[in-house]
Amino acid sequence: MERSLARAYESGRPRFVINCSFGEYMQDRDNKSLAQQVKLVYTILRRTQANVQLHLTSLGSENPAKSHFDGIGISGWKVHVHEESFWELFPPEDVVVLSPDAGYCLDTVDEDKIYVIGGLVDRRPQKNRTFHQAQKTGKIGLHQLRKLPLKEQGPKGFHPILNIDVVVQILIERLHGHEWQVLSDVDVSTVQGDSMLDAGIVEFAKGNYLDEMRAWHFKHHETYCVAPVVTNRTQGPASG
């Protein structure tokens, strides 16, 4: 994994950029959440050994999120950290800015492109924030603004707000040729988990919920907190 990270740091393609320029629009807890989500991104890249080069931009000393990144040990990561903005660093013609407000859907993920993900924690959705910023640079055309086709591929009215690490996971899956996979109206009392291993996003049916009283953890390189999704009709294993 360490060799893979070093290779990706030096020459990985495509390049994924987390645009950290929105710190002033977020509360301190949201900036902390941003750092934690980026840490999960790094964990994904390490675990999957994806040959993707990761950049963090607009992360200077005055950024309110900087202290939280320092707190999780970013100085020891194999990741490119920049004080400059993404439009100052990269050739505009190679940039694809991801925004839920874009008019065009992202179809493929190409190795020669640079994908910019907004580092904006949406506890209170800030509509058009990433979209308008990209336009105001004067360097990014409308055709370079793209959204993930989850609303188009998913059920009617489906418009999720995704964590940054989830967006990265979806991009990696698409890079490897997997289809946009959104499963809707899943009822765990009738559907087995091993039938959904290729799912990108799952929308559970009404009446499904997390059984937090059975929360636990497991370790696979990293420690994960887990809890079962159940309904009142779910038949549990004999062990309980």
Side-chain angles (χ1 to χ4, degrees), residues 127-145:
K127 190 171 177 60
N128 289 317
R129 178 76 70 182
T130 53
F131 183 86
H132 286 160
Q133 184 197 62
Q135 282 196 304
K136 287 180 180 178
T137 66
K139 299 180 179 181
I140 307 299
L142 287 176
H143 66 285
Q144 294 171 267
L145 285 155

Side-chain angles (χ1 to χ4, degrees), residues 172-193:
I172 291 173
E173 293 291 329
R174 188 58 175 157
L175 175 66
H176 294 160
H178 298 166
E179 295 297 323
W180 303 110
Q181 182 70 287
V182 180
L183 301 182
S184 61
D185 203 34
V186 172
D187 191 325
V188 297
S189 66
T190 59
V191 177
Q192 295 294 317

Side-chain angles (χ1 to χ4, degrees), residues 173-224:
E173 293 291 329
R174 188 58 175 157
L175 175 66
H176 294 160
H178 298 166
E179 295 297 323
W180 303 110
Q181 182 70 287
V182 180
L183 301 182
S184 61
D185 203 34
V186 172
D187 191 325
V188 297
S189 66
T190 59
V191 177
Q192 295 294 317
D194 58 9
S195 68
M196 302 189 299
L197 297 180
D198 60 343
I201 288 182
V202 177
E203 182 191 44
F204 292 100
K206 185 176 181 180
N208 289 253
Y209 62 94
L210 281 176
D211 186 354
E212 297 179 355
M213 296 302 294
R214 296 184 183 181
W216 194 240
H217 64 274
F218 75 95
K219 187 167 185 177
H220 179 68
H221 306 303
E222 302 290 335
T223 300
Y224 296 85

Side-chain angles (χ1 to χ4, degrees), residues 4 29 69 102 151 202 235:
S4 174
R29 66 173 186 176
F69 279 98
K151 187 175 181 180
V202 177
Q235 297 298 314

Side-chain angles (χ1 to χ4, degrees), residues 10-43:
E10 294 295 333
S11 58
R13 291 294 184 274
R15 284 168 282 185
F16 289 173
V17 178
I18 312 299
N19 173 13
C20 300
S21 65
F22 303 102
E24 63 182 294
Y25 301 111
M26 300 189 296
Q27 298 179 16
D28 186 65
R29 66 173 186 176
D30 297 331
N31 279 302
K32 181 178 181 180
S33 179
L34 168 63
Q36 292 295 333
Q37 290 183 33
V38 174
K39 182 179 180 181
L40 288 173
V41 170
Y42 193 66
T43 298

Side-chain angles (χ1 to χ4, degrees), residues 9 18 33 51 61 76 87 93 119 134 136 170 183 227 238:
Y9 178 84
I18 312 299
S33 179
N51 191 35
S61 58
W87 58 88
E93 63 272 15
K136 287 180 180 178
I170 291 172
L183 301 182

